[in-house]
Amino acid sequence: MRSYKIISELSSKLKKVYKVESQNSVYILKEYASAEDAEKEMQIAKRVALTGYAPGVIEHQENLVLYECIEGENFFDEFRQATMTDDVESMELLATRLSIFLQIIYSFTDKVMKDIDFSNYVVKDGRVVGVDFSKVDEGMPYEDVASAIAFALMNSAGQYYDCYPFIYKLLSCFKLEMMDVINEVKARLKQRASQVGAWNDIDIDMLVDGLVNFDKKGVDWRKLI
């Protein structure tokens, strides 16, 4: 692997991630716990990169993978700003762009992101680009929708209901109703709440009751396969 100089270390729970410079270009270097972990994420990234929705793989060696550095706005920051200012148009645009990314993932890999964290996406040239595929696994699109909804509810800059325009636009993009994902949303909320020490079960039950009152229709899952 080419020589490089570390510019900064980036936050990541499952591996070490660095912004590095090599031959006057900037890249992202990921150091995985094992060569198997490196291979798994690298292969997903390679496949999605063909669509322009993931960084390209430059080179790899055992548990080290050098990726293209995607410069853009962090999705989490854009989402927080939109909910802070009650910018409905921006929230709906973010939801639309995220839905395109998630549907591309499923179409090109037959897998889903599994655990949505808005910090793992960059907004560039009008599209959402994924920069972390470490948790990609078997699943159905509704799981990613539910995971995104749970993350949005717990990370809205204002009250949780300030992000409703984002949530319902996301559902609309997948031709889903809240009733189709509500049980999965509830499970994801409880999981996230236990991890960060937020919201008790009563709070979550009340929130879910409010969400479910918006719509109660079913869905034909064949539309998403």
Side-chain angles (χ1 to χ4, degrees):
M1 180 174 282
R2 70 189 68 186
S3 61
Y4 55 83
K5 179 178 72 175
I6 294 177
I7 299 173
S8 61
E9 184 170 359
L10 306 178
S11 175
S12 179
K13 296 178 181 178
L14 300 178
K15 52 191 170 288
K16 293 180 180 179
V17 181
Y18 307 94
K19 179 178 281 190
V20 302
E21 183 179 358
S22 178
Q23 301 173 9
N24 297 319
S25 296
V26 176
Y27 303 98
I28 298 298
L29 176 69
K30 296 187 180 184
E31 181 180 354
Y32 297 83
S34 68
E36 290 76 14
D37 290 345
E39 183 70 18
K40 178 184 175 182
E41 181 170 357
M42 181 179 66
Q43 291 304 325
I44 293 292
K46 278 185 174 180
R47 194 174 301 179
V48 181
L50 295 173
T51 70
Y53 283 83
V57 175
I58 307 301
E59 58 181 353
H60 74 282
Q61 179 179 327
E62 297 180 350
N63 68 325
L64 297 175
V65 182
L66 195 67
Y67 292 91
E68 173 190 7
C69 181
I70 304 295
E71 299 288 357
E73 301 299 325
N74 185 269
F75 190 94
F76 178 81
D77 295 337
E78 295 289 291
F79 172 80
R80 292 278 293 181
Q81 179 63 28
T83 55
M84 182 184 297
T85 58
D86 293 323
D87 188 341
V88 172
E89 183 177 352
S90 291
M91 278 188 269
E92 291 185 339
L93 183 58
L94 287 171
T96 299
R97 289 173 172 172
L98 180 61
S99 75
I100 293 171
F101 169 81
L102 294 177
Q103 292 179 68
I104 283 175
I105 287 293
Y106 189 71
S107 297
F108 279 78
T109 68
D110 291 324
K111 300 181 187 299
V112 296
M113 295 300 289
K114 210 68 177 178
D115 187 13
I116 301 292
D117 182 334
F118 291 172
S119 299
N120 291 331
Y121 306 97
V122 172
V123 181
K124 180 181 180 180
D125 298 332
R127 66 178 62 184
V128 168
V129 179
V131 296
D132 190 308
F133 298 89
S134 56
K135 294 184 178 180
V136 168
D137 208 342
E138 303 291 337
M140 290 293 291
Y142 81 91
E143 295 179 74
D144 277 352
V145 175
S147 181
I149 289 173
F151 190 94
L153 289 166
M154 297 197 73
N155 290 277
S156 175
Q159 298 297 322
Y160 67 85
Y161 47 78
D162 288 334
C163 69
Y164 275 17
F166 173 89
I167 289 173
Y168 286 98
K169 183 62 176 180
L170 185 64
L171 286 168
S172 174
C173 289
F174 278 87
K175 296 182 172 60
L176 293 171
E177 307 291 343
M178 183 60 73
M179 278 297 294
D180 301 316
V181 299
I182 197 62
N183 289 334
E184 186 72 17
V185 169
K186 185 175 181 178
R188 297 300 182 104
L189 283 171
K190 289 188 175 183
Q191 179 184 36
R192 292 182 186 277
S194 66
Q195 292 171 347
V196 300
W199 295 352
N200 57 41
D201 286 353
I202 295 176
D203 292 332
I204 292 174
D205 287 342
M206 290 179 63
L207 186 157
V208 167
D209 285 342
L211 286 171
V212 81
N213 286 331
F214 279 86
D215 50 17
K216 300 179 180 179
K217 298 179 181 179
V219 66
D220 181 357
W221 279 108
R222 290 171 296 181
K223 296 175 182 176
L224 296 182
I225 298 177

